[in-house]
Every structure is written in structure tokens, then in C-alpha cells.
């Protein structure tokens, strides 16, 4: 495996982007997970993996300040999470966009910079320039004037990424951006995200079903299952011992010759189909 | 009565010598502008059925006001704003809950029927609430319409970007700190006021023609939200003006002509975009992302 396990990003040595200490979270009075202690350093690329309903989106809601932990401490760049935090760029799992959405991509990307401002907009030119720069950064300049409803899944994810990047955030939270993409498009998007993480030192958390397209680029894995959270480098976390301890049943991690891995014995296997 | 002369300016001047025609054009224009803008958000938020339902809720309010001897527009405003508030407080997606809305809609229509049967002038009042009576708008009606229209437009100017954001990309808007329920409430109340004044022109049953049809045509003609709003307003104003114009020469109700013009434009736009798709652009891809698949807390 050629992942960057254990190597801290040079530019961000020791600087903490996320610090979680003994976190316990509930969703509508039901315990989701507890005893979560982990940190993410600035500029790290982190995969959030685990079965459906394990609480991966809940982690994002905590970071976005949309939900509070039941107990424990959580800080983002030494500050408490809060709603409307401008340092975060967010791509949710769910979007209200379908082929009846007759709106150009540029308009959506501009929402990322000025959509939350009240009153009449007077900064058309600056917004347009920022949107153009964000679209260029994700390699989607030629899509600027296409209608959102006509895009393919991979193109749409690029536009959402541009919308999240437009305010130059310090942290990206991407919820299942790969879920509707085939293997080739998944790899393309992961390359794109990894490029942004490295070139802009953006701390990035990405929720995924399948860890394999991510492995070559990851610094860290946050594995959520069975009400517990395990973190570390992929080499540390994705082992038979660690996952067996997490699930409390025997789990085996198998490797193929190209560095892909398959997890056998868990309810759902993130090597193949899970999330 | 004057005759059609092919000189449209002269024709309009002829019509405008009559106060009821001036009132109809003035109120109709204000309403078309408001409906064209609000309608854009109705289309974007997929709230067409809620719009239709609010019209029916307004019907029972108007009928109740008539029964009690008040101006129907006050009953309309009271009932539509209450209905709109209720719908938006029920939750973010309440305005798309067809079954619940339909259930309330039918009951409100029945209630309106009761109010009207209790009132003596039953048939004519019912007719004007259901189908509009643009030629019967009074001077004070025009003033009221103007103030209500200005109020809606001022609020829309203030909330335009957040409302667009919340309508287009709800989860990101929420993460950016926008109050989704508050925005939904503001939008529904604006919609209620717009419907209440539009009923004078087009009636509760034909409200779609001004509140939805122009915007539905506009979104297919441009990909820019602001341009779409301008196009939507233009179509609505054109529909009202040409409807009123034709009704001057023909013995049929203006509502019919307004609805027909809006419908004809919509059909032309749909046919036009279909033809363009067939000729120049590639066939729609099956790769389009299925939207709105339920998000698990996972």
C-alpha cells in the first residue's frame, strides 16, 4: 500500500484542526456513538467510514454546529463549532436538484459565497469572479452556463465541490460525494479532492461507502461502527484486530495485489458495499 | 364602445377613458408583477399544489367575509395567511405533502360553499371569487393592491438571496446558518398575500395561470434566476394586458383570455424546447443524479 500513513503534512505540523475528547452523541434521544476521542491536523485528508446509520452524518452535524454533543468536548481550530461557520465548506448527501432544475451551475456556485446574505445583492462582479475561480479549481469552467438538471453525477459533484470551495474554506466536509459514481468517476473525484487538500492545505473529511479509491491519498480514517469510533492511519485502523475489537465479532481484512482491501465478517463491508 | 383599430396605443387610450378599465389595467399590472416574481419561487420550491390549496383556503375566507358583510379581500388575507403559517410551521417539507393539503383544501372549499349559501347574493359572489372579476375592481381596491404589492416586493428584495439559496440547496443553506423554517414562513406568507390580491383578477380556481404558468415558462427560457424572474414577470404582465385588451372587444370573461394567453406561451415554450432538444442538443443522459433520496443519519 502506498498511502501516506503516519506522515504529518509538513506545512501543518502539529496544528490541530479538529479536537474531539470523550464525545458522546445522541440523535432524538437515541445514543449514536460515545467515547470518541480523536484529532485531525490541519491539511489532513480523512475518510469517515462505517455502516449505514452508524452516525457518520451525525459527526458532520456536530462539526457544522447543527447538533450538540451530549457530553465531551469538540473544537474546530480551537473554537467551538457554530452554525454558519465560514471556515467550513460543506457538500451534503442530499440535494434538491433534479432534471427539472433549470438553473445554471454558476448561479449555484455563487450561492456558496453570497447566498446567505440578506438584502439586495450589490457585489455581482466580485461574486462572478469568485464563482469562476472556484469552477476553474474543480476543472468545471466549461459547465458554468450549463443547467444543473442536465449534468451527470460526476459533473454535479464537481459543481457542489465548487460551491463548497468558493469562500476559500479551511475545512471541507463532503458527505458521500462518491455514492452515485462509477469506479472511474469516483477515482477522478478523489484525485480532484486530494489535489485541493494538498495544494490549499484544506482539512478534508469525506464520508464514503468504499474506502478503496481513497486509500492512496488518505492521512487518517475515522471508522464509526457499533456505537464506537476508531481513528488512526488506514494501516492502523483497517486491520483484522482493530475492526474485530470495534464490532465485537471476528472481522477479517483481506488485501489484494493492487492494495485494495475487503472487509469480511462485519454487517456491511466498507471494502465493498457499506457506509 | 370603441372599435379595434390596429393602432394599439389609440385602442388602449380608448379603453382607459373608462375608470373600470384603468383600474383593471392598474391592479392587473401590479398583480402580474407580484405573481411573476413569487411564482418563480413557487416553481423552484415545488409548491404549486400549496399555491392551489391556498387559493381554496382563501375561497372560504372570502365567502365568510361576504357573508359577514366585509370586503372579501380581508377574508382572503386572513385565511390564506393563517393557512400559510400553518403549512410552514408543520415543517420544512409540509408544502409538498399532497394528501394532507388536499384534505384541508376540500374541507375549506366546502366551508366556503356553506358561507355562500347562507348569503343571499350567492351566485354572483361565488362566481367572482372563483373566477375573478377584474373589471369590477374599485379605486380603493387598486390602492389596496398597490400597497400589498409593494409590501411583498420590499420583503422579497430583502430575502431574495437567502430564499433562493434555501430553495435550491436546503442543507447547505442550513449549514450556512440560514433559518429554514423562518424563510419558509416568510415565503408562504408572501405567497398568501400575493394570492389574496391576485384573486380579484383571476379568481381562486384560475390562480395557477398567474402564479405558476408564467414562471414555469420562464425557467425553461433562461438559466439565470434573476433573468427568469424578469421573464416570468414579463409573461404575466403580457398575459394580463392582452387578456384585458381582447376582452374589450369580445363578450367573454377577461379571466378566460388571461389564462389562455399564459397557457399558449407555456405550450409554445415547451414545444420550442422540445424541438431544440431534438435538433441540436444531445439526448438527456440517464446518468442524471437521482435527487432527494432520503438522507440517513449514517
Amino acid at each position: 500500500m502506498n498511502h501516506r500513513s503516519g506522515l504529518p503534512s509538513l506545512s501543518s505540523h502539529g496544528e490541530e484542526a479538529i479536537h474531539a475528547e470523550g464525545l458522546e452523541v445522541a440523535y432524538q434521544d437515541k445514543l449514536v456513538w460515545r467515547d470518541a476521542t480523536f484529532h485531525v491536523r490541519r491539511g489532513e485528508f480523512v475518510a469517515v467510514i462505517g455502516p449505514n446509520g452508524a452516525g457518520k452524518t451525525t459527526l458532520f452535524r456536530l462539526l457544522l454546529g447543527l447538533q450538540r454533543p451530549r457530553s465531551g468536548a469538540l473544537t474546530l481550530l480551537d473554537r467551538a463549532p457554530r452554525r454558519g461557520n465560514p471556515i467550513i465548506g460543506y457538500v451534503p448527501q442530499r440535494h434538491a436538484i433534479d432534471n427539472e432544475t433549470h438553473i445554471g451551475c454558476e448561479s449555484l456556485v455563487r450561492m456558496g459565497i453570497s447566498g446567505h446574505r440578506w438584502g439586495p445583492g450589490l457585489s455581482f462582479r466580485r461574486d462572478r469572479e469568485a464563482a469562476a475561480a472556484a469552477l476553474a479549481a474543480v476543472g468545471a469552467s466549461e459547465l458554468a452556463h450549463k443547467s444543473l438538471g442536465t449534468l451527470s453525477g460526476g459533473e454535479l459533484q464537481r459543481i457542489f465541490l465548487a460551491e463548497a470551495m468558493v469562500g476559500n474554506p479551511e475545512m471541507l466536509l463532503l458527505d458521500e460525494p462518491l455514492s452515485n459514481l462509477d469506479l472511474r468517476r469516483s477515482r477522478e473525484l478523489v484525485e480532484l479532492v486530494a489535489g485541493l487538500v494538498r495544494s490549499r492545505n484544506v482539512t478534508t473529511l469525506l464520508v464514503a461507502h468504499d474506502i478503496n479509491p481513497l486509500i492512496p491519498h488518505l492521512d487518517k480514517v475515522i471508522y464509526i461502527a457499533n456505537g464506537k469510533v476508531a481513528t488512526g492511519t488506514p494501516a492502523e485502523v483497517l486491520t483484522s484486530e482493530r475492526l474485530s475489537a470495534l464490532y465485537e465479532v471476528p472481522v477479517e481484512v483481506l488485501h489484494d495485489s493492487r492494495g485494495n482491501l475487503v472487509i469480511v465478517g462485519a454487517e456491511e463491508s466498507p471494502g465493498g458495499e457499506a457506509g | 364602445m370603441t372599435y379595434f383599430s390596429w393602432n394599439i396605443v389609440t385602442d388602449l387610450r380608448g379603453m382607459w377613458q373608462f375608470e373600470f378599465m384603468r383600474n383593471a389595467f392598474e391592479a392587473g399590472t401590479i398583480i402580474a408583477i407580484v405573481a411573476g416574481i413569487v411564482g418563480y419561487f413557487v416553481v423552484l420550491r415545488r409548491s404549486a399544489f400549496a399555491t392551489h390549496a391556498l387559493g381554496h383556503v382563501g375561497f372560504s375566507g372570502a365567502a365568510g367575509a361576504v357573508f359577514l358583510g366585509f370586503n372579501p379581500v380581508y377574508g382572503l388575507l386572513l385565511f390564506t395567511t393563517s393557512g400559510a403559517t400553518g403549512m410552514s410551521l408543520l415543517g420544512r417539507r409540509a408544502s409538498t405533502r399532497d394528501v394532507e393539503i388536499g384534505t384541508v383544501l376540500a374541507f375549506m372549499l366546502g366551508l366556503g360553499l356553506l358561507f355562500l349559501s347562507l348569503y343571499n347574493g350567492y351566485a354572483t359572489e361565488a362566481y367572482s371569487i372563483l373566477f375573478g372579476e377584474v373589471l369590477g375592481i374599485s379605486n380603493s381596491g387598486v390602492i389596496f393592491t398597490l400597497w400589498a404589492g409593494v409590501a411583498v416586493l420590499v420583503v422579497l428584495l430583502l430575502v431574495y438571496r437567502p430564499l433562493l439559496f434555501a430553495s435550491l440547496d436546503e442543507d447547505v443553506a442550513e449549514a450556512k446558518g440560514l433559518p429554514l423554517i423562518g424563510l419558509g414562513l416568510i415565503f408562504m406568507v408572501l405567497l398568501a398575500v400575493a394570492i389574496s390580491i391576485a384573486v380579484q383578477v383571476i379568481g381562486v380556481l384560475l390562480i395557477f395561470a398567474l402564479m405558476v404558468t408564467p414562471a414555469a415558462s420562464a425557467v425553461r427560457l433562461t438559466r439565470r434566476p434573476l433573468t427568469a424572474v424578469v421573464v416570468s414577470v414579463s409573461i404575466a404582465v403580457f398575459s394580463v394586458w392582452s387578456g384585458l385588451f381582447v376582452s374589450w372587444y369580445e363578450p367573454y370573461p377577461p379571466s378566460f383570455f388571461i389564462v389562455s394567453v399564459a397557457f399558449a406561451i407555456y405550450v409554445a415554450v415547451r414545444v420550442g424546447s422540445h424541438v431544440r432538444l431534438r435538433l441540436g442538443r444531445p439526448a438527456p443522459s440517464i446518468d442524471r443524479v437521482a435527487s432527494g433520496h432520503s438522507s440517513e443519519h449514517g
Side-chain angles (χ1 to χ4, degrees), chain B residues 13-180:
Chain B
R13 283 221 182 102
M15 294 174 199
W16 290 345
Q17 285 170 357
F18 297 86
E19 188 178 86
F20 74 95
M21 278 312 265
R22 279 201 305 276
N23 287 351
F25 271 93
E26 285 166 7
T29 305
I30 298 163
I31 286 159
I33 292 169
V34 171
I37 301 175
V38 174
Y40 177 73
F41 288 98
V42 170
V43 171
L44 194 61
R45 295 172 73 87
R46 314 277 149 90
S47 307
F49 190 59
T51 305
H52 186 66
L54 278 182
H56 287 63
V57 170
F59 170 73
S60 66
V66 166
F67 168 56
L68 295 172
F70 294 109
N71 187 336
V73 80
Y74 298 121
L76 269 163
L77 271 177
L78 179 70
F79 272 53
T80 53
T81 47
S82 314
T85 309
M87 268 190 226
S88 40
L89 293 183
L90 275 175
R92 266 150 76 169
R93 285 272 157 239
S95 57
T96 58
R97 283 189 205 154
D98 294 355
V99 175
E100 287 88 340
I101 292 175
T103 308
V104 176
L105 176 160
F107 171 68
M108 295 310 270
L109 211 52
L111 197 63
L113 185 67
L114 173 71
F115 288 142
L116 281 177
S117 70
L118 292 170
Y119 175 73
N120 285 331
Y122 177 56
T124 45
E125 283 298 339
Y127 189 81
S128 68
I129 298 168
L130 289 174
F131 299 105
E133 193 158 39
V134 66
L135 302 183
I137 298 175
S138 63
N139 287 334
S140 61
V142 174
I143 300 293
F144 181 84
T145 305
L146 178 66
W147 283 116
V150 166
V152 170
L153 295 183
V154 167
V155 176
L156 267 174
L157 196 65
L158 295 176
V159 303
Y160 173 75
R161 287 185 293 179
L163 185 61
L164 188 64
F165 198 8
S167 307
L168 194 57
D169 206 351
E170 190 177 72
D171 287 0
V172 181
E174 185 189 24
K176 287 271 183 185
L178 289 177
L180 294 185

Side-chain angles (χ1 to χ4, degrees), chain A residues 56-57 83 94 97 104 119 163, chain B residues 158 169 171 175 178 223 291 298:
Chain A
K56 304 189 295 293
T57 296
R83 254 186 93 189
R94 191 183 60 158
I97 286 158
E163 182 193 0
Chain B
L158 295 176
D169 206 351
D171 287 0
L178 289 177
R223 298 183 189 100
S291 71

Side-chain angles (χ1 to χ4, degrees), chain A residues 9-43:
Chain A
S9 307
L10 292 173
S11 52
S12 60
H13 187 77
E15 206 179 340
E16 269 191 344
I18 300 173
H19 181 95
E21 194 82 52
L23 275 188
E24 178 173 322
V25 264
Y27 183 69
Q28 290 169 349
D29 290 333
K30 220 181 92 204
L31 181 74
V32 181
W33 38 260
R34 61 190 169 83
D35 291 336
T37 297
F38 59 88
H39 4 235
V40 172
R41 275 195 293 267
R42 200 181 265 238

